[in-house]
Amino acid sequence: SKDRYFYSAKYAQSLSFRRNSEAHTGVHLSDDEFDLLNRTITAGVKRGQPIDHICASNTESVPVCTRSVYNYIDRGIMTVKNVDLRRKAGYKHRRKHRDPSLYHQRCRVGRTYQDYLKYMEDKSPETVTEMDTVKGARGTGSVLLTMFLRRNSVMLIFVMPDGTQASVKRCFNFLEEGLGLETFKRLFPIILTDNEAEFKGVDDLEMTSEGFIRTTIFYCDPMASGQKGRIEKNHEYIRYVLPKGSSFNGYSQNEMVLLMNHINSTRRKGLGFQSPYDLIPRQDMDMKKL
């Protein structure tokens, strides 16, 4: 006469999935809370700020996680639409054509990526600085030299009149003179870069004009930009303001410093919703001399 119950694993699993789905359906905010969230996200996106930065900088008016904000936008219930997001479009597939001759250049002797891996066996990857250039419209003169410090994700940007070895050397000399040799060696002990022509004057970059060693440079494998992927990724912030095909002529170093400060002040999920400037340790405050 007693009730009997039978357990069905299939039914229990289905019920669990359904309850989990229903828990994430709809907007679990009051009308006022959602209206404030909508206005905050919309204002930030219109200013060109990424969603992670908006959420981290407005915790009182954004009571949901970043993923929920993306879900609301994707469902079309916010003023901001997917087309307004800078990274919603997919990346083009890139073909890689490796040039075997690049492996045998003189500047790469003892400085290949394999040499770099061996050199780093007893060293922290956080001591490495990734270096690259960003070029403007084809045929234009000015080029941006970028340096990305892995220890805190700070990116330095310098305007060069051209993409020559002499211009890169001038930037290195400027840093050394502004920071002092010992500070330069502490901040930039190891530099990883690619095989562009402007970086092949390796002796001039590694040595001071007096003949002292100021850094050690290694080269990625040809057509393997992923080996210094963090600086490549960080270039997206430059391209938000200076899209591909635009010329860098007419921009001053002061304007690039302003752009650099905006980039380094942007809070990011990968940094625990802190900005690169937030992560500069006290002993590295020498960089502010620049």
Side-chain angles (χ1 to χ4, degrees):
S1 61
K2 294 183 179 180
D3 294 333
R4 289 178 172 80
Y5 298 90
F6 296 91
Y7 174 76
S8 169
K10 183 177 180 180
Y11 175 79
Q13 185 71 5
S14 175
L15 179 61
S16 174
F17 277 132
R18 186 166 65 252
R19 286 176 175 172
N20 186 58
S21 177
E22 290 172 353
H24 293 82
T25 301
V27 179
H28 299 279
L29 299 172
S30 67
D31 291 343
D32 290 339
E33 288 175 330
F34 182 78
D35 181 62
L36 178 59
L37 169 66
N38 187 29
R39 287 188 281 109
T40 302
I41 297 298
T42 301
V45 170
K46 285 184 177 179
R47 287 194 293 268
Q49 297 174 349
I51 299 296
D52 286 341
H53 178 81
I54 298 170
C55 293
S57 303
N58 300 276
T59 53
E60 294 183 359
S61 53
V62 182
V64 296
C65 66
T66 305
R67 182 69 263 165
S68 294
V69 174
Y70 278 113
N71 287 338
Y72 295 161
I73 295 172
D74 198 47
R75 287 160 51 192
I77 61 176
M78 299 188 73
T79 304
V80 173
K81 306 302 178 187
N82 281 326
V83 71
D84 300 315
L85 303 181
R86 300 184 295 191
R87 297 181 55 196
K88 197 63 176 180
Y91 295 99
K92 293 181 180 179
H93 177 70
R94 298 180 181 178
R95 296 181 180 180
K96 293 186 177 180
H97 302 283
R98 297 177 185 266
D99 183 356
S101 65
L102 294 176
Y103 284 94
H104 307 293
Q105 295 176 339
R106 186 193 68 82
C107 64
R108 290 175 51 85
V109 176
R111 299 183 180 90
T112 66
Y113 192 70
Q114 288 65 39
D115 295 322
Y116 162 77
L117 294 177
K118 185 175 180 180
Y119 184 81
M120 293 299 297
E121 286 179 354
D122 59 344
K123 297 176 179 61
S124 169
E126 299 301 310
T127 60
V128 176
T129 296
E130 299 179 10
M131 182 169 67
D132 203 354
T133 53
V134 180
K135 296 180 172 61
R138 184 171 297 180
T140 59
S142 295
V143 174
L144 303 183
L145 174 69
T146 57
M147 303 178 75
F148 180 89
L149 284 74
R150 287 184 179 176
R151 69 183 70 193
N152 47 37
S153 297
V154 167
M155 182 167 68
L156 307 180
I157 306 175
F158 302 95
V159 180
M160 302 190 299
D162 50 42
T164 62
Q165 297 175 17
S167 293
V168 177
K169 180 182 177 181
R170 280 195 294 270
C171 291
F172 272 56
N173 291 342
F174 168 77
L175 282 171
E176 182 199 332
E177 292 169 6
L179 297 170
L181 179 57
E182 293 305 316
T183 302
F184 183 98
K185 291 167 66 175
R186 176 168 57 82
L187 293 177
F188 309 101
I190 304 163
I191 295 177
L192 181 64
T193 187
D194 56 24
N195 298 271
E196 296 292 340
E198 56 265 30
F199 300 134
K200 293 179 180 178
V202 64
D203 294 333
D204 288 335
L205 300 182
E206 286 187 335
M207 308 288 289
T208 67
S209 55
E210 292 79 19
F212 298 106
I213 296 176
R214 59 185 173 189
T215 187
T216 302
I217 294 178
F218 293 95
Y219 296 92
C220 298
D221 291 332
M223 303 302 295
S225 58
Q227 292 173 351
K228 54 176 180 60
R230 294 178 65 177
I231 191 171
E232 298 287 350
K233 184 72 174 176
N234 225 51
H235 283 170
E236 289 183 355
Y237 291 102
I238 297 177
R239 289 305 188 185
Y240 291 150
V241 181
L242 302 170
K244 286 188 177 181
S246 59
S247 173
F248 301 150
N249 291 340
Y251 287 101
S252 67
Q253 182 60 40
N254 286 338
E255 290 173 314
M256 286 301 119
V257 169
L258 178 62
L259 173 60
M260 180 178 71
N261 286 337
H262 278 293
I263 292 173
N264 292 327
S265 299
T266 301
R267 298 185 181 188
R268 306 167 195 179
K269 183 178 180 180
L271 300 179
F273 295 103
Q274 297 184 84
S275 72
Y277 277 164
D278 292 334
L279 300 179
I280 297 179
R282 183 178 299 275
Q283 65 268 26
D284 287 351
M285 287 298 178
D286 319 66
M287 297 177 64
K288 292 194 173 181
K289 295 178 183 178
L290 302 175

Coordinates of all heavy atoms in Angstrom, one line a residue, residues 97-141:
H97 N 53.7 31.3 -45.7 CA 54.7 30.8 -46.6 C 56.0 31.0 -46.0 O 56.5 32.2 -46.0 CB 54.5 31.6 -48.0 CG 53.2 31.4 -48.6 ND1 52.7 30.3 -49.2 CD2 52.1 32.3 -48.6 CE1 51.5 30.4 -49.7 NE2 51.1 31.6 -49.3
R98 N 56.7 30.0 -45.6 CA 58.0 30.2 -44.9 C 59.1 30.3 -46.0 O 59.1 29.5 -46.9 CB 58.2 29.0 -44.0 CG 57.2 28.9 -42.8 CD 57.5 27.7 -42.0 NE 56.5 27.5 -40.9 CZ 56.6 28.0 -39.7 NH1 57.7 28.6 -39.4 NH2 55.6 27.8 -38.8
D99 N 59.9 31.2 -45.8 CA 61.1 31.4 -46.7 C 62.3 30.8 -46.0 O 62.8 31.3 -45.0 CB 61.3 32.9 -46.9 CG 62.4 33.2 -47.9 OD1 63.1 32.2 -48.3 OD2 62.7 34.3 -48.2
P100 N 62.8 29.6 -46.6 CA 63.9 28.9 -45.9 C 65.2 29.8 -45.8 O 66.0 29.6 -44.9 CB 64.2 27.8 -46.9 CG 62.9 27.6 -47.6 CD 62.3 29.0 -47.8
S101 N 65.3 30.8 -46.7 CA 66.5 31.6 -46.7 C 66.6 32.5 -45.4 O 67.7 32.8 -44.9 CB 66.6 32.5 -47.9 OG 65.5 33.5 -47.9
L102 N 65.5 32.8 -44.8 CA 65.5 33.6 -43.5 C 66.1 32.8 -42.4 O 66.6 33.5 -41.4 CB 64.0 33.9 -43.2 CG 63.3 34.9 -44.1 CD1 61.9 35.1 -43.7 CD2 64.0 36.2 -44.2
Y103 N 66.2 31.5 -42.4 CA 66.8 30.7 -41.3 C 68.3 30.9 -41.3 O 68.9 30.6 -40.3 CB 66.4 29.2 -41.5 CG 65.0 28.9 -41.1 CD1 64.0 28.8 -42.0 CD2 64.7 28.6 -39.8 CE1 62.7 28.5 -41.7 CE2 63.3 28.3 -39.4 CZ 62.4 28.3 -40.4 OH 61.1 27.9 -40.0
H104 N 68.9 31.3 -42.3 CA 70.4 31.3 -42.4 C 71.0 32.7 -42.5 O 72.1 32.9 -43.0 CB 70.8 30.5 -43.7 CG 70.2 29.2 -43.8 ND1 70.5 28.2 -42.9 CD2 69.2 28.6 -44.6 CE1 69.8 27.1 -43.1 NE2 69.0 27.3 -44.2
Q105 N 70.3 33.7 -42.0 CA 70.9 35.1 -41.9 C 71.9 35.2 -40.8 O 71.8 34.6 -39.7 CB 69.7 36.1 -41.8 CG 68.8 36.1 -42.9 CD 67.6 37.0 -42.7 OE1 67.3 37.4 -41.6 NE2 67.0 37.4 -43.8
R106 N 72.9 36.1 -41.0 CA 74.0 36.2 -40.1 C 73.5 36.6 -38.7 O 73.9 36.2 -37.7 CB 75.0 37.2 -40.6 CG 76.2 37.3 -39.7 CD 77.1 38.5 -40.1 NE 76.4 39.7 -39.8 CZ 76.4 40.3 -38.6 NH1 77.0 39.7 -37.6 NH2 75.8 41.4 -38.3
C107 N 72.5 37.6 -38.7 CA 72.0 38.1 -37.4 C 71.4 37.0 -36.5 O 71.3 37.2 -35.3 CB 71.1 39.3 -37.6 SG 69.5 38.8 -38.5
R108 N 70.9 35.9 -37.1 CA 70.2 34.9 -36.4 C 71.2 33.9 -35.7 O 70.7 33.0 -35.0 CB 69.2 34.2 -37.3 CG 68.0 35.0 -37.7 CD 67.2 34.3 -38.7 NE 66.8 33.0 -38.3 CZ 65.8 32.7 -37.5 NH1 65.0 33.6 -37.0 NH2 65.5 31.4 -37.1
V109 N 72.4 33.9 -36.1 CA 73.4 32.9 -35.5 C 73.5 33.1 -34.0 O 73.8 34.1 -33.5 CB 74.8 33.1 -36.2 CG1 75.8 32.1 -35.5 CG2 74.7 32.9 -37.7
G110 N 73.1 32.0 -33.3 CA 73.1 32.0 -31.9 C 71.9 32.8 -31.3 O 71.8 32.9 -30.0
R111 N 71.0 33.2 -32.1 CA 69.8 34.0 -31.6 C 68.5 33.5 -32.2 O 67.6 34.2 -32.2 CB 70.0 35.5 -32.0 CG 71.3 36.1 -31.4 CD 71.3 37.6 -31.8 NE 72.5 38.3 -31.3 CZ 73.6 38.4 -31.9 NH1 73.7 37.8 -33.1 NH2 74.6 39.0 -31.4
T112 N 68.4 32.2 -32.6 CA 67.2 31.7 -33.1 C 66.2 31.4 -31.9 O 66.6 31.5 -30.8 CB 67.5 30.4 -33.8 OG1 67.9 29.4 -32.9 CG2 68.5 30.5 -34.9
Y113 N 65.0 31.0 -32.3 CA 64.0 30.7 -31.3 C 64.4 29.5 -30.4 O 64.1 29.5 -29.2 CB 62.7 30.5 -31.9 CG 61.5 30.5 -30.9 CD1 61.1 31.7 -30.3 CD2 60.9 29.3 -30.6 CE1 60.1 31.7 -29.3 CE2 59.8 29.3 -29.7 CZ 59.5 30.5 -29.0 OH 58.4 30.4 -28.1
Q114 N 65.1 28.6 -31.1 CA 65.6 27.4 -30.3 C 66.6 27.8 -29.3 O 66.7 27.3 -28.2 CB 66.1 26.3 -31.3 CG 65.0 25.6 -32.1 CD 64.3 26.5 -33.0 OE1 64.9 27.4 -33.7 NE2 63.0 26.3 -33.2
D115 N 67.5 28.7 -29.7 CA 68.5 29.3 -28.8 C 67.8 30.0 -27.7 O 68.3 30.0 -26.5 CB 69.5 30.3 -29.6 CG 70.3 29.5 -30.6 OD1 70.7 28.4 -30.4 OD2 70.5 30.1 -31.7
Y116 N 66.8 30.7 -28.0 CA 66.0 31.5 -27.0 C 65.4 30.5 -25.9 O 65.5 30.8 -24.7 CB 64.9 32.3 -27.7 CG 63.8 32.7 -26.8 CD1 63.9 33.8 -25.9 CD2 62.5 32.1 -26.8 CE1 62.9 34.2 -25.1 CE2 61.5 32.5 -25.9 CZ 61.7 33.5 -25.1 OH 60.7 33.9 -24.3
L117 N 64.8 29.4 -26.4 CA 64.2 28.5 -25.5 C 65.3 27.9 -24.5 O 65.1 27.7 -23.3 CB 63.5 27.4 -26.2 CG 62.3 27.8 -27.1 CD1 61.7 26.6 -27.8 CD2 61.2 28.4 -26.2
K118 N 66.5 27.6 -25.1 CA 67.5 27.0 -24.3 C 68.0 28.1 -23.3 O 68.3 27.8 -22.1 CB 68.7 26.6 -25.2 CG 69.8 25.9 -24.4 CD 70.9 25.3 -25.4 CE 72.0 24.6 -24.7 NZ 73.0 24.1 -25.6
Y119 N 68.1 29.3 -23.7 CA 68.6 30.4 -22.9 C 67.7 30.7 -21.7 O 68.1 31.1 -20.6 CB 68.8 31.7 -23.7 CG 69.4 32.9 -23.0 CD1 70.7 33.0 -22.8 CD2 68.5 33.9 -22.6 CE1 71.3 34.1 -22.2 CE2 69.1 35.0 -21.9 CZ 70.4 35.1 -21.7 OH 71.0 36.2 -21.1
M120 N 66.4 30.4 -22.0 CA 65.3 30.7 -21.0 C 65.1 29.6 -20.0 O 64.2 29.7 -19.2 CB 64.0 31.1 -21.7 CG 64.1 32.4 -22.5 SD 64.4 33.8 -21.4 CE 63.0 33.8 -20.4
E121 N 65.8 28.5 -20.1 CA 65.5 27.3 -19.2 C 65.6 27.7 -17.7 O 64.8 27.1 -17.0 CB 66.5 26.2 -19.6 CG 66.2 25.5 -20.9 CD 67.2 24.4 -21.2 OE1 68.2 24.3 -20.5 OE2 67.0 23.7 -22.2
D122 N 66.5 28.5 -17.3 CA 66.6 28.9 -15.9 C 66.2 30.3 -15.7 O 66.6 30.9 -14.7 CB 68.1 28.7 -15.5 CG 69.1 29.5 -16.3 OD1 68.7 30.0 -17.3 OD2 70.2 29.6 -15.8
K123 N 65.4 30.9 -16.6 CA 65.0 32.3 -16.4 C 63.5 32.4 -16.5 O 62.8 31.6 -17.1 CB 65.6 33.2 -17.5 CG 67.2 33.2 -17.4 CD 67.8 34.1 -18.5 CE 69.3 34.1 -18.4 NZ 69.9 32.8 -18.5
S124 N 62.9 33.4 -15.9 CA 61.5 33.6 -15.9 C 61.0 34.3 -17.2 O 61.7 35.2 -17.7 CB 61.1 34.6 -14.8 OG 59.7 35.0 -14.9
P125 N 60.0 33.7 -17.8 CA 59.5 34.4 -19.1 C 59.0 35.8 -18.9 O 58.9 36.6 -19.8 CB 58.3 33.5 -19.4 CG 58.2 32.4 -18.5 CD 59.2 32.6 -17.4
E126 N 58.8 36.2 -17.6 CA 58.3 37.5 -17.3 C 59.4 38.6 -17.5 O 59.1 39.8 -17.5 CB 57.8 37.6 -15.9 CG 56.6 36.7 -15.6 CD 55.4 37.0 -16.5 OE1 55.0 38.2 -16.6 OE2 54.9 36.1 -17.1
T127 N 60.6 38.1 -17.7 CA 61.7 39.1 -17.9 C 61.8 39.5 -19.4 O 62.7 40.3 -19.8 CB 63.1 38.5 -17.5 OG1 63.3 37.3 -18.2 CG2 63.0 38.2 -16.0
V128 N 61.0 38.9 -20.3 CA 61.2 39.0 -21.7 C 60.3 40.2 -22.2 O 59.2 40.5 -21.7 CB 60.7 37.8 -22.5 CG1 60.7 38.0 -24.0 CG2 61.6 36.6 -22.1
T129 N 60.9 41.0 -23.1 CA 60.1 42.1 -23.8 C 60.0 41.6 -25.3 O 60.9 41.3 -25.9 CB 60.9 43.4 -23.7 OG1 61.0 43.8 -22.4 CG2 60.2 44.5 -24.5
E130 N 58.7 41.7 -25.7 CA 58.5 41.4 -27.1 C 58.5 42.7 -27.9 O 58.0 43.7 -27.5 CB 57.1 40.7 -27.3 CG 57.0 39.4 -26.5 CD 55.6 38.7 -26.7 OE1 54.8 39.2 -27.5 OE2 55.4 37.8 -25.9
M131 N 59.1 42.6 -29.1 CA 59.3 43.9 -29.9 C 58.8 43.6 -31.3 O 59.0 42.6 -31.9 CB 60.8 44.3 -29.9 CG 61.1 45.5 -30.7 SD 62.8 46.2 -30.4 CE 63.7 44.8 -31.2
D132 N 58.2 44.7 -31.9 CA 57.7 44.6 -33.3 C 57.5 46.0 -33.8 O 57.7 47.0 -33.1 CB 56.3 43.8 -33.2 CG 55.9 43.2 -34.6 OD1 56.7 43.4 -35.6 OD2 54.9 42.5 -34.6
T133 N 57.1 46.1 -35.1 CA 56.7 47.3 -35.7 C 55.3 47.3 -36.3 O 54.8 46.2 -36.6 CB 57.7 47.7 -36.8 OG1 57.8 46.6 -37.8 CG2 59.1 48.1 -36.3
V134 N 54.6 48.4 -36.3 CA 53.3 48.5 -36.9 C 53.5 49.5 -38.1 O 53.9 50.7 -37.8 CB 52.3 49.0 -35.9 CG1 50.9 49.1 -36.6 CG2 52.2 48.1 -34.7
K135 N 53.2 49.1 -39.3 CA 53.4 49.9 -40.4 C 52.0 50.5 -40.9 O 51.0 49.9 -40.8 CB 54.0 49.1 -41.6 CG 55.4 48.6 -41.2 CD 56.0 47.8 -42.4 CE 57.5 47.5 -42.1 NZ 57.7 46.7 -40.9
G136 N 52.1 51.7 -41.4 CA 50.9 52.4 -41.9 C 50.6 52.0 -43.4 O 51.0 50.9 -43.8
A137 N 50.0 52.9 -44.1 CA 49.6 52.7 -45.5 C 50.9 52.4 -46.3 O 51.9 53.0 -46.0 CB 48.8 53.9 -46.0
R138 N 50.8 51.6 -47.3 CA 51.9 51.2 -48.1 C 52.4 52.4 -48.8 O 51.7 53.2 -49.4 CB 51.5 50.2 -49.1 CG 52.6 49.7 -50.0 CD 52.2 48.5 -50.8 NE 51.8 47.3 -50.0 CZ 51.4 46.2 -50.5 NH1 51.3 46.0 -51.8 NH2 51.1 45.2 -49.7
G139 N 53.8 52.6 -48.7 CA 54.4 53.7 -49.4 C 54.5 55.0 -48.5 O 55.2 55.9 -48.9
T140 N 53.9 54.9 -47.3 CA 54.1 56.1 -46.4 C 55.3 55.9 -45.5 O 55.8 54.8 -45.3 CB 52.8 56.3 -45.5 OG1 52.6 55.1 -44.7 CG2 51.6 56.5 -46.4
G141 N 55.8 57.0 -44.9 CA 57.1 56.9 -44.2 C 57.0 56.4 -42.8 O 57.7 55.5 -42.4

